[in-house]
Every structure is written in structure tokens, then in C-alpha cells.
Amino acid sequence: MEYWCHICKRESQINEETITCSSCGSNFVELIEDEEQHPRNFVPYQPAQSIRNLLSSLLLSSLRSGTNVTDTDATMDQIIHHLMMNDTNRYGPPPASQGAISTLPSVKINQEVIKARGRLMSGFDECGERIEEDRVVLECSVCKEEFGPDEEAIDMPCQHMFHQNCLIPWLKEHNNCPVCRFELPTDDPDYEQRRGRS
């Protein structure tokens, strides 16, 4: 029987009693049963290679079309455009409907709201600074800035609060809460139908 030591990265004899590599003593060994699945044939995914191929094809197309290859801005724009168009994550949920956005309540921050919806900070803050006394703070869930008294906040149905400038641009692109993914209604009937089925 043939064994592969993943520490030595080679075929190895093993100690039959402890099933450890005879060279390094590691128990990270694998019995090789199928030559096609042999670890020495493993080629890890190399994303840099696909980027290299993309750059090569863009430069070749620039040469064929007579574009000046030294025009790096145009070439970079082509690369960025290509990457954005092929980004599998760009499709996400549709925008929230304007009606849903306009009905989100605006809350005026006061001590009662901070006490009810805030969190207790004691010991150290996010920057590692020592906090002299325990206190309750209420932060925007996106920018993490503290809400001050008399400041306005948008309150999502999921109870996350945001500055208007932090939340509304997001909702114009996606119908969900940036923190917990709670979904607001959209104007996309197909999406609403799929959402209703799940």
C-alpha cells in the first residue's frame, strides 16, 4: 500500500502501529487507492492565472484594433468593466420599492430611545480606549457613528437604525437591511413571486 504524507509532500512509508509518517512522524498521511486522485497530481486554483489571461486577451485585442497599448487608462477601464460584468455577486436582490422606502419611520433620537435601543459600553470602546464610566450608546448600523440627541434616524422594521444618508442609497440598490438582510417589498413582480414561494 502507498501512503502520501501531506507534511513531507511525498510518498512515505508509515509506522503500522501508529499510522504516522516514518520520515517526519506526522499522522497527516493518506492511503493512495486511486492513482488519478493522487495528491501529487493536485493543482490548486490560481486566480492570478485567469487575470493574466484576461490582461493578455485585452492587450491582444488592443493591438489588433490599433489602439495604443500605452493608453493604460483605457485598458484599465476595459479590465474593470470586464470584471464588473462577470462578477457573480452583482446580481443580488432588486431595489426596495419607493413606497416601502417612503413609509420607513423617521425617529428623533432622545434619551428614552437611546436607553431602549442602545447597547451598554463598558471597559473599552472599539478603538481600545478605556471608558471611564459605563454608558448606553446607539449607533448607526452602517457607519457605526453614535446618534446624538435630537438627531434623526431611519428605523427599519427589523429594529436596525440608520442615518438616512447611510440607508437610502443602499435601499435604492437592494431591498434588504444591510445588517440582517430583512427584506422590504420591491417593484419587481417576478422577484416578489419567487419570494412568496420560498
Side-chain angles (χ1 to χ4, degrees), residues 96 100-101 103-105 107 117 154-162 167 171 175-178 180-185 195:
I101 294 173
T103 59
L104 290 173
V107 177
R117 302 278 296 278
I154 303 284
D155 195 11
M156 284 280 286
C158 55
Q159 302 296 303
H160 289 112
M161 298 181 95
F162 304 89
L167 181 65
L171 292 177
N175 74 324
N176 54 19
C177 171
C180 70
R181 302 300 184 225
F182 173 87
E183 292 188 327
L184 294 173
R195 195 170 113 182

Side-chain angles (χ1 to χ4, degrees), residues 26-43:
S26 163
N27 63 353
F28 194 15
V29 293
E30 176 181 0
L31 173 62
I32 307 303
E33 297 175 312
D34 181 5
E35 188 61 32
E36 288 181 18
Q37 299 291 323
H38 199 293
R40 74 169 159 250
N41 299 329
F42 174 71
V43 178

Side-chain angles (χ1 to χ4, degrees), residues 37-107:
Q37 299 291 323
H38 199 293
R40 74 169 159 250
N41 299 329
F42 174 71
V43 178
Y45 171 68
Q46 297 174 338
Q49 186 62 40
S50 61
I51 292 171
R52 213 174 282 121
N53 292 343
L54 172 65
L55 288 170
S56 298
S57 67
L58 286 171
L59 288 173
L60 282 174
S61 67
S62 296
L63 286 170
R64 285 188 196 118
S65 66
T67 306
N68 184 354
V69 181
T70 59
D71 186 5
T72 55
D73 288 340
T75 305
M76 273 315 268
D77 286 346
Q78 286 179 314
I79 293 169
I80 291 168
H81 177 73
H82 180 81
L83 291 173
M84 287 174 61
M85 294 310 292
N86 291 300
D87 181 6
T88 56
N89 296 319
R90 76 183 177 103
Y91 294 107
S97 71
Q98 192 55 46
I101 294 173
S102 64
T103 59
L104 290 173
S106 180
V107 177

